[in-house]
Amino acid sequence: MEIKSKSTHDPLADLHIADAYMRWQLLAAEEVVGKQGLVTVLRENGLEKFIDNYPPEEFNFKSQITTGEYAGLSAALMSFYGRAGRGMTLRIGRLSCKMAIEKQGALFNVAGSLALKLLPIGQQLKLGMENMQSGFRKLGESIGEDYELSVEDRGETVAYITKACPMCAGQQADAAICTIFTGNLEEAVRWSTGKEHQVVETSCRAKGDPACVWEVSKAAKE
């Protein structure tokens, strides 16, 4: 897989992301690749400002972290670790999602998510993703930014769609690269349904698609 910065400026890379999300991605990456491994990745990819300087665990944008920087870390990890990078970033996604679930219950309607377990699986998945997107919209609206999110029932799967993906903003690749968010969705679905479901990124802006799309199987893994 080849990942590189886009030759022309991607306006989505200028959007901002909450401090807490970058902090959790950094903490999860440190746990998976080790402190020194993360320092090396940051230093070699123009992200030195985050070395021993993680953003605060707050749902604000005081640090003015861009989606370009957020995506840059994800892409750097995948590139640096080669074939192992995809598995590593998947683990980082799941771990950072666990941190998010612990800290942002009110924003993402955790109480409502618990009630989802009483519904048919298709509705569980659809409403669970809509709760996630509602939380992201609230954060975006607080600074006047639109993350262009939607959910679709596609029969055997439920699709999570974003036209302003923070995982690949400013990046170009020959394959889907938003593996951290694949891990996020895997963990979120496991938490909300109590079961493992296959999550596949079927479209990615980094390879020229108009939106990043993940399809979550309604059938749980055996």
Side-chain angles (χ1 to χ4, degrees):
M1 178 189 298
E2 181 183 7
I3 308 173
K4 59 184 179 181
S5 297
K6 288 185 175 179
S7 57
T8 58
H9 180 65
D10 182 358
L12 294 185
D14 296 329
L15 297 180
H16 293 92
I17 197 158
D19 293 344
Y21 291 129
M22 190 63 166
R23 179 180 181 84
W24 294 331
Q25 184 173 205
L26 288 162
L27 287 171
E30 181 180 320
E31 183 166 331
V32 172
V33 307
K35 176 75 171 181
Q36 191 52 50
L38 179 59
V39 167
T40 300
V41 169
L42 293 172
R43 183 173 290 122
E44 292 187 2
N45 290 276
L47 297 168
E48 299 93 337
K49 75 177 188 179
F50 295 112
I51 296 176
D52 296 322
N53 185 37
Y54 295 175
E57 192 174 80
E58 299 176 3
F59 300 115
N60 59 39
F61 302 80
K62 289 181 180 178
S63 300
Q64 295 293 293
I65 298 166
T66 65
T67 53
E69 292 171 321
Y70 189 72
L73 174 56
S74 176
L77 288 163
M78 292 190 73
S79 295
F80 187 83
Y81 288 100
R83 290 185 178 181
R86 184 170 289 276
M88 286 179 165
T89 50
L90 198 64
R91 288 169 57 199
I92 290 168
R94 296 195 69 142
L95 183 56
S96 60
C97 182
K98 288 180 182 178
M99 297 177 189
I101 289 171
E102 291 174 1
K103 300 293 183 179
Q104 54 186 179
L107 180 65
F108 286 81
N109 190 17
V110 166
S113 297
L114 292 172
L116 294 180
K117 294 180 181 179
L118 302 175
L119 300 173
I121 187 62
Q123 289 179 265
Q124 286 185 45
L125 294 172
K126 187 171 186 293
L127 291 174
M129 291 182 207
E130 288 174 347
N131 280 346
M132 288 180 66
Q133 293 187 351
S134 177
F136 291 139
R137 282 195 191 92
K138 289 175 183 176
L139 286 173
E141 287 169 0
S142 71
I143 57 169
E145 293 182 351
D146 181 5
Y147 299 137
E148 298 188 76
L149 300 158
S150 60
V151 175
E152 291 181 2
D153 189 320
R154 296 187 173 180
E156 296 183 355
T157 65
V158 178
Y160 183 109
I161 305 164
T162 175
K163 295 182 179 179
C165 179
M167 287 297 169
C168 62
Q171 301 296 318
Q172 180 178 326
D174 54 4
I177 62 170
C178 307
T179 316
I180 286 182
F181 194 72
T182 301
N184 290 163
L185 270 180
E186 284 184 351
E187 185 59 28
V189 169
R190 185 203 63 78
W191 180 84
S192 64
T193 68
K195 297 180 179 179
E196 299 280 348
H197 290 253
Q198 184 179 42
V199 179
V200 178
E201 186 179 10
T202 56
S203 299
C204 182
R205 289 188 71 255
K207 61 186 185 73
D209 296 320
C212 290
V213 180
W214 291 261
E215 294 202 32
V216 182
S217 174
K218 290 181 183 179
K221 293 181 180 179
E222 296 183 0

